[in-house]
Amino acid sequence: MAHPQHERTTALSYMLLALLPAVFLGSNSIITAKIDGKPSQGTLGTTIGALLFAIAVSLCYVVPHAGWAFAYNPRIWVVGLCSGVFWTIGSFGQYSALKPLGVSVAMPISTAGQVVGNALMAAIVLEQWTTLHVWAVGMLAIILVTAGAVMCSARDHTEGAVQRSPKDVRAGLTALLFSTLGFMMYFLFPNLLHKTGFIGDDIYNAPSGDGLYYMTSVILPQAVGQVLTALAIITFIEKNTQLIVAKKTALNIITGLAWAVGNVLVFICAASPHVGQAIATTFSQLGVIVSTYGGIVILHEHKSKRQMAFILFGTVLITVGAVLMGMFTTR
């Protein structure tokens, strides 16, 4: 039986680990917007970077510790490939919203959608919220994070402010809808397939109940699915294969490496009994703070005094909501 003090220390360590993805994932939109390529270039470059990272993790960690049979288990590859397809749909939608809406507007809205979708799916489908108290606090946390994200994306109607046309707003919001659905399924799928029995407990819990081998094994087939779907978008939707070898596609590999580090940390924390999917995904969405302020400082997106006041207050709400989620909805 584990010592209570050791359990508390382990839980705290995982909570701190769950905060790190926000830095890596929050920087993605800034890097991509700075490179200023097409959405498909941002998506493909990111997936190539993710694939390089996944190969390194597989060869340097998964295979030496879990073995070749585990790393290339057919069921893990089915889960990973499907998850990767969903992610690419989500990523393409998110990148497509950056230009019509702007990073500091698109990312908060994207965050709100992902927090609500992932938390509710984890609570309802994965049954990670089991008491009325947890549900009450979880819903309050969702409301706070969502309200904060909406405040961060407040528009400015004063004279001289950058105005988005109704066409751009519609295009951006439509792209974010597909993005939210794609990202939601990408997060949910590895845990959902365990709940349905497709992935057995012996695989999911290895090596010691924390899912470390499973979640680090998933990222390689996931990256393969991401690359294949990104190539399909460029080849069959945009019909411009020259984008595959373009400079801006190559530059977005940097985005992919940053994303890959954040991604593997999210999945490790989502499988841990000390964190769970609802908390892991909510914490990862704190990256909206990085992307919002990065859009203002690095990309020089203009904000009025009114908007900055909303952004500051929205940041507080997002942080409080994430803290509530972390403190009171653990399994």
Side-chain angles (χ1 to χ4, degrees), residues 86-263:
F86 289 129
W87 179 89
T88 306
I89 294 171
S91 177
F92 183 72
Q94 190 177 78
Y95 288 153
S96 297
L98 296 182
K99 286 188 178 180
L101 294 180
V103 172
S104 56
V105 173
M107 293 309 296
I109 297 173
S110 179
T111 293
Q114 290 181 61
V115 167
V116 173
N118 282 307
L120 291 180
M121 291 298 282
I124 298 170
V125 179
L126 302 181
E127 299 178 344
Q128 292 183 351
W129 294 358
T130 56
T131 68
L132 182 61
H133 170 75
V134 170
W135 266 96
V137 175
M139 291 304 296
L140 175 60
I142 287 174
I143 292 170
L144 289 173
V145 173
T146 303
V150 171
M151 292 187 76
C152 286
S153 63
R155 298 175 65 190
D156 185 15
H157 298 285
T158 60
E159 185 179 350
V162 175
Q163 299 296 333
R164 310 288 177 182
S165 70
K167 180 180 179 182
D168 281 345
V169 172
R170 284 195 300 271
L173 292 178
T174 301
L176 286 179
L177 174 61
F178 284 99
S179 172
T180 299
L181 294 173
F183 280 141
M184 184 174 67
M185 289 305 299
Y186 135 77
F187 272 126
L188 179 70
F189 209 70
N191 285 318
L192 179 62
L193 269 287
H194 166 244
K195 184 171 178 60
T196 61
F198 184 78
I199 298 294
D201 288 340
D202 57 327
I203 295 176
Y204 186 83
N205 294 322
S208 54
D210 55 11
L212 188 58
Y213 290 169
Y214 173 56
M215 288 304 181
T216 49
S217 294
V218 160
I219 66 170
L220 179 55
Q222 184 185 71
V224 172
Q226 290 168 332
V227 171
L228 292 176
T229 309
L231 288 171
I233 289 173
I234 288 177
T235 303
F236 299 110
I237 296 179
E238 297 205 337
K239 298 180 180 179
N240 187 0
T241 54
Q242 291 182 346
L243 295 176
I244 296 173
V245 293
K247 179 181 178 180
K248 290 182 178 179
T249 301
L251 288 174
N252 270 293
I253 292 176
I254 300 170
T255 312
L257 293 173
W259 175 86
V261 175
N263 177 61

Side-chain angles (χ1 to χ4, degrees), residues 24 72-73 76 98 101 211 221 228 288 293:
F24 294 100
Y72 294 93
N73 182 299
I76 291 179
L98 296 182
L101 294 180
L228 292 176
V288 70
Y293 287 100

Side-chain angles (χ1 to χ4, degrees), residues 242-291:
Q242 291 182 346
L243 295 176
I244 296 173
V245 293
K247 179 181 178 180
K248 290 182 178 179
T249 301
L251 288 174
N252 270 293
I253 292 176
I254 300 170
T255 312
L257 293 173
W259 175 86
V261 175
N263 177 61
V264 71
L265 292 176
V266 171
F267 274 84
I268 289 171
C269 293
S272 169
H274 299 290
V275 183
Q277 175 165 318
I279 296 171
T281 54
T282 301
F283 275 17
S284 72
Q285 295 308 316
L286 288 174
V288 70
I289 297 173
V290 177
S291 59

